[in-house]
Amino acid sequence: MDKRLETRIKDCEVLQLPKIHNRAGNITALENEHSIPFPIKRVYYLYDIPGGEERGGHAHKNLEQIIIAASGAFDVLLDDGNQRKIVHLDRPYVGLHIVPGIWRELLNFSSGAVCLVLASLKYDEADYWRDYNSFLKFK
Ligand code: TYD
């Protein structure tokens, strides 16, 4: 069976990232093969998100991601075609690992929130399911 059909919400783990504490502030450093379960090919971040806006609204066929609230807070709704779950992210040292084949929506952004994403592949529009019904059909 296609691996992408089998992924479930329980495969999306919340990871505690390393934090180096200092009286002048904290540092979180992420390196391939240490804190991250895949080699990072791309980093992007969402910012200046207007109040009430939602992002995401798609699933990926092969891409794995770690989503981090680098600043502020937001919710990630995960949907595997069978179950739904909302994960609230509000700490820069916590990452949500989203495996392929999971529909996600990002919502309830706090003012000034920055959503940092570490991705396993370069950008490829062909890797997206942007239509929820096609995604459901595939699952
Ligand atoms: P999209 O992934 O749909 O954003 P979100 O899920 O946050 O709503 O991407 C929005 C637009 O940005 C889309 O036209 C593709 C472009 N884009 C890139 O060119 N490179 C990238 O790495 C990403 C993530 C998006």
Side-chain angles (χ1 to χ4, degrees):
M1 189 194 274
D2 191 322
K3 194 166 161 270
R4 291 172 286 162
L5 276 174
E6 294 172 18
T7 52
R8 293 287 175 251
I9 283 174
K10 65 172 170 46
D11 302 319
C12 297
E13 287 183 301
V14 173
L15 308 175
Q16 296 295 315
L17 306 172
K19 179 166 89 169
I20 301 165
H21 178 68
N22 187 297
R23 65 178 171 75
N26 301 323
I27 298 178
T28 290
L30 305 172
E31 295 184 3
N32 282 336
E33 288 148 37
H34 283 112
S35 325
I36 303 301
F38 52 79
I40 300 165
K41 287 262 178 65
R42 175 167 54 116
V43 175
Y44 64 90
Y45 40 101
L46 309 175
Y47 54 95
D48 289 349
I49 301 146
E53 279 300 335
E54 296 181 5
R55 311 265 332 194
H58 61 252
H60 286 282
K61 298 172 185 172
N62 294 297
L63 185 74
E64 288 184 62
Q65 292 168 306
I66 304 277
I67 299 194
I68 301 165
S71 185
F74 50 86
D75 291 330
V76 185
L77 182 149
L78 300 173
D79 180 337
D80 61 15
N82 188 37
Q83 278 189 309
R84 287 181 160 209
K85 179 182 173 184
I86 290 183
V87 179
H88 181 70
L89 294 177
D90 61 359
R91 296 281 183 269
Y93 52 84
V94 170
L96 173 63
H97 181 203
I98 306 187
V99 296
I102 303 287
W103 187 268
R104 90 291 309 275
E105 291 169 24
L106 276 63
L107 56 164
N108 298 326
F109 286 92
S110 69
S111 161
V114 177
C115 170
L116 176 64
V117 183
L118 313 177
S120 66
L121 297 170
K122 290 186 179 167
Y123 174 74
D124 177 10
E125 187 57 37
D127 191 66
Y128 282 72
W129 278 292
R130 291 198 182 270
D131 176 61
Y132 184 68
N133 287 327
S134 329
F135 164 73
L136 274 188
K137 223 163 149 182
F138 189 91
K139 292 296 272 188

